[in-house]
mmCIF file of all heavy atoms in Angstrom:
data_model
loop_
_atom_site.group_PDB
_atom_site.id
_atom_site.type_symbol
_atom_site.label_atom_id
_atom_site.label_comp_id
_atom_site.label_asym_id
_atom_site.label_seq_id
_atom_site.Cartn_x
_atom_site.Cartn_y
_atom_site.Cartn_z
ATOM 1 N N ASP B 30 -6.468 38.650 -19.562
ATOM 2 C CA ASP B 30 -5.483 39.666 -19.208
ATOM 3 C C ASP B 30 -4.529 39.198 -18.120
ATOM 4 O O ASP B 30 -3.467 39.785 -17.934
ATOM 5 C CB ASP B 30 -6.188 40.933 -18.722
ATOM 6 C CG ASP B 30 -6.891 41.662 -19.840
ATOM 7 O OD1 ASP B 30 -6.377 41.616 -20.975
ATOM 8 O OD2 ASP B 30 -7.943 42.259 -19.586
ATOM 9 N N THR B 31 -4.931 38.211 -17.347
ATOM 10 C CA THR B 31 -4.146 37.801 -16.179
ATOM 11 C C THR B 31 -3.621 36.388 -16.356
ATOM 12 O O THR B 31 -4.341 35.498 -16.770
ATOM 13 C CB THR B 31 -5.002 37.881 -14.897
ATOM 14 O OG1 THR B 31 -5.570 39.191 -14.804
ATOM 15 C CG2 THR B 31 -4.151 37.636 -13.672
ATOM 16 N N MET B 32 -2.348 36.240 -16.032
ATOM 17 C CA MET B 32 -1.706 34.919 -16.097
ATOM 18 C C MET B 32 -0.969 34.646 -14.792
ATOM 19 O O MET B 32 -0.559 35.580 -14.091
ATOM 20 C CB MET B 32 -0.755 34.833 -17.290
ATOM 21 C CG MET B 32 -1.485 34.918 -18.629
ATOM 22 S SD MET B 32 -0.417 34.658 -20.047
ATOM 23 C CE MET B 32 -0.096 32.886 -19.928
ATOM 24 N N TYR B 33 -0.800 33.359 -14.497
ATOM 25 C CA TYR B 33 -0.242 32.957 -13.213
ATOM 26 C C TYR B 33 0.744 31.806 -13.386
ATOM 27 O O TYR B 33 0.649 31.019 -14.331
ATOM 28 C CB TYR B 33 -1.368 32.419 -12.280
ATOM 29 C CG TYR B 33 -2.607 33.254 -12.204
ATOM 30 C CD1 TYR B 33 -3.602 33.138 -13.156
ATOM 31 C CD2 TYR B 33 -2.796 34.132 -11.138
ATOM 32 C CE1 TYR B 33 -4.770 33.891 -13.075
ATOM 33 C CE2 TYR B 33 -3.959 34.884 -11.046
ATOM 34 C CZ TYR B 33 -4.934 34.759 -12.014
ATOM 35 O OH TYR B 33 -6.088 35.507 -11.923
ATOM 36 N N TRP B 34 1.624 31.690 -12.407
ATOM 37 C CA TRP B 34 2.388 30.467 -12.214
ATOM 38 C C TRP B 34 2.073 29.931 -10.825
ATOM 39 O O TRP B 34 2.153 30.664 -9.835
ATOM 40 C CB TRP B 34 3.899 30.713 -12.337
ATOM 41 C CG TRP B 34 4.369 30.770 -13.755
ATOM 42 C CD1 TRP B 34 4.782 31.858 -14.445
ATOM 43 C CD2 TRP B 34 4.474 29.661 -14.654
ATOM 44 N NE1 TRP B 34 5.117 31.512 -15.740
ATOM 45 C CE2 TRP B 34 4.942 30.169 -15.898
ATOM 46 C CE3 TRP B 34 4.208 28.296 -14.552
ATOM 47 C CZ2 TRP B 34 5.161 29.361 -17.008
ATOM 48 C CZ3 TRP B 34 4.426 27.480 -15.673
ATOM 49 C CH2 TRP B 34 4.900 28.024 -16.875
ATOM 50 N N TYR B 35 1.727 28.634 -10.780
ATOM 51 C CA TYR B 35 1.524 27.918 -9.531
ATOM 52 C C TYR B 35 2.546 26.784 -9.447
ATOM 53 O O TYR B 35 2.921 26.201 -10.435
ATOM 54 C CB TYR B 35 0.124 27.299 -9.463
ATOM 55 C CG TYR B 35 -0.987 28.276 -9.174
ATOM 56 C CD1 TYR B 35 -1.563 29.017 -10.199
ATOM 57 C CD2 TYR B 35 -1.467 28.448 -7.880
ATOM 58 C CE1 TYR B 35 -2.597 29.914 -9.939
ATOM 59 C CE2 TYR B 35 -2.501 29.330 -7.606
ATOM 60 C CZ TYR B 35 -3.052 30.066 -8.643
ATOM 61 O OH TYR B 35 -4.068 30.947 -8.382
ATOM 62 N N LYS B 36 2.916 26.462 -8.208
ATOM 63 C CA LYS B 36 3.825 25.338 -7.972
ATOM 64 C C LYS B 36 3.074 24.273 -7.184
ATOM 65 O O LYS B 36 2.432 24.575 -6.172
ATOM 66 C CB LYS B 36 5.057 25.803 -7.179
ATOM 67 C CG LYS B 36 6.045 24.690 -6.865
ATOM 68 C CD LYS B 36 7.231 25.230 -6.074
ATOM 69 C CE LYS B 36 8.230 24.135 -5.734
ATOM 70 N NZ LYS B 36 9.404 24.670 -4.963
ATOM 71 N N GLN B 37 3.164 23.025 -7.653
ATOM 72 C CA GLN B 37 2.573 21.894 -6.935
ATOM 73 C C GLN B 37 3.701 21.006 -6.429
ATOM 74 O O GLN B 37 4.435 20.417 -7.219
ATOM 75 C CB GLN B 37 1.619 21.100 -7.837
ATOM 76 C CG GLN B 37 0.882 19.993 -7.080
ATOM 77 C CD GLN B 37 -0.143 19.293 -7.944
ATOM 78 O OE1 GLN B 37 0.131 18.952 -9.096
ATOM 79 N NE2 GLN B 37 -1.327 19.067 -7.397
ATOM 80 N N ASP B 38 3.808 20.902 -5.122
ATOM 81 C CA ASP B 38 4.913 20.145 -4.558
ATOM 82 C C ASP B 38 4.618 18.649 -4.539
ATOM 83 O O ASP B 38 3.580 18.194 -5.037
ATOM 84 C CB ASP B 38 5.272 20.668 -3.168
ATOM 85 C CG ASP B 38 4.141 20.495 -2.143
ATOM 86 O OD1 ASP B 38 3.273 19.628 -2.354
ATOM 87 O OD2 ASP B 38 4.143 21.228 -1.145
ATOM 88 N N SER B 39 5.539 17.897 -3.946
ATOM 89 C CA SER B 39 5.425 16.422 -3.972
ATOM 90 C C SER B 39 4.210 15.927 -3.193
ATOM 91 O O SER B 39 3.755 14.810 -3.396
ATOM 92 C CB SER B 39 6.689 15.795 -3.402
ATOM 93 O OG SER B 39 6.912 16.265 -2.083
ATOM 94 N N LYS B 40 3.669 16.756 -2.308
ATOM 95 C CA LYS B 40 2.465 16.388 -1.563
ATOM 96 C C LYS B 40 1.206 16.909 -2.245
ATOM 97 O O LYS B 40 0.129 16.913 -1.663
ATOM 98 C CB LYS B 40 2.552 16.918 -0.129
ATOM 99 C CG LYS B 40 3.671 16.300 0.679
ATOM 100 C CD LYS B 40 3.674 16.769 2.110
ATOM 101 C CE LYS B 40 4.798 16.098 2.892
ATOM 102 N NZ LYS B 40 4.852 16.571 4.304
ATOM 103 N N LYS B 41 1.372 17.366 -3.479
ATOM 104 C CA LYS B 41 0.277 17.863 -4.327
ATOM 105 C C LYS B 41 -0.295 19.189 -3.846
ATOM 106 O O LYS B 41 -1.371 19.582 -4.315
ATOM 107 C CB LYS B 41 -0.836 16.807 -4.477
ATOM 108 C CG LYS B 41 -0.346 15.546 -5.160
ATOM 109 C CD LYS B 41 -1.477 14.624 -5.556
ATOM 110 C CE LYS B 41 -0.929 13.432 -6.307
ATOM 111 N NZ LYS B 41 -1.992 12.502 -6.752
ATOM 112 N N PHE B 42 0.398 19.868 -2.946
ATOM 113 C CA PHE B 42 -0.078 21.155 -2.483
ATOM 114 C C PHE B 42 0.232 22.216 -3.532
ATOM 115 O O PHE B 42 1.364 22.319 -3.995
ATOM 116 C CB PHE B 42 0.569 21.524 -1.154
ATOM 117 C CG PHE B 42 0.078 22.807 -0.579
ATOM 118 C CD1 PHE B 42 -1.241 22.949 -0.183
ATOM 119 C CD2 PHE B 42 0.922 23.903 -0.471
ATOM 120 C CE1 PHE B 42 -1.704 24.144 0.332
ATOM 121 C CE2 PHE B 42 0.459 25.096 0.050
ATOM 122 C CZ PHE B 42 -0.856 25.220 0.450
ATOM 123 N N LEU B 43 -0.786 23.001 -3.876
ATOM 124 C CA LEU B 43 -0.669 24.029 -4.900
ATOM 125 C C LEU B 43 -0.546 25.392 -4.265
ATOM 126 O O LEU B 43 -1.344 25.769 -3.410
ATOM 127 C CB LEU B 43 -1.920 24.028 -5.780
ATOM 128 C CG LEU B 43 -1.968 23.019 -6.898
ATOM 129 C CD1 LEU B 43 -3.409 22.663 -7.211
ATOM 130 C CD2 LEU B 43 -1.283 23.573 -8.137
ATOM 131 N N LYS B 44 0.445 26.162 -4.741
ATOM 132 C CA LYS B 44 0.607 27.498 -4.202
ATOM 133 C C LYS B 44 0.984 28.460 -5.319
ATOM 134 O O LYS B 44 1.780 28.125 -6.188
ATOM 135 C CB LYS B 44 1.688 27.526 -3.130
ATOM 136 C CG LYS B 44 1.790 28.874 -2.435
ATOM 137 C CD LYS B 44 2.773 28.852 -1.302
ATOM 138 C CE LYS B 44 2.821 30.240 -0.641
ATOM 139 N NZ LYS B 44 3.828 30.327 0.413
ATOM 140 N N ILE B 45 0.400 29.632 -5.296
ATOM 141 C CA ILE B 45 0.687 30.615 -6.309
ATOM 142 C C ILE B 45 2.103 31.147 -6.145
ATOM 143 O O ILE B 45 2.608 31.292 -5.028
ATOM 144 C CB ILE B 45 -0.329 31.782 -6.276
ATOM 145 C CG1 ILE B 45 -0.190 32.628 -7.538
ATOM 146 C CG2 ILE B 45 -0.180 32.612 -5.012
ATOM 147 C CD1 ILE B 45 -1.349 33.575 -7.773
#
Side-chain angles (χ1 to χ4, degrees):
Chain B
D30 289 327
T31 307
M32 295 186 72
Y33 313 83
W34 279 108
Y35 284 84
K36 179 180 180 180
Q37 186 175 44
D38 64 22
S39 58
K40 295 184 179 179
K41 298 191 176 181
F42 183 65
L43 277 152
K44 186 175 180 184
I45 193 166

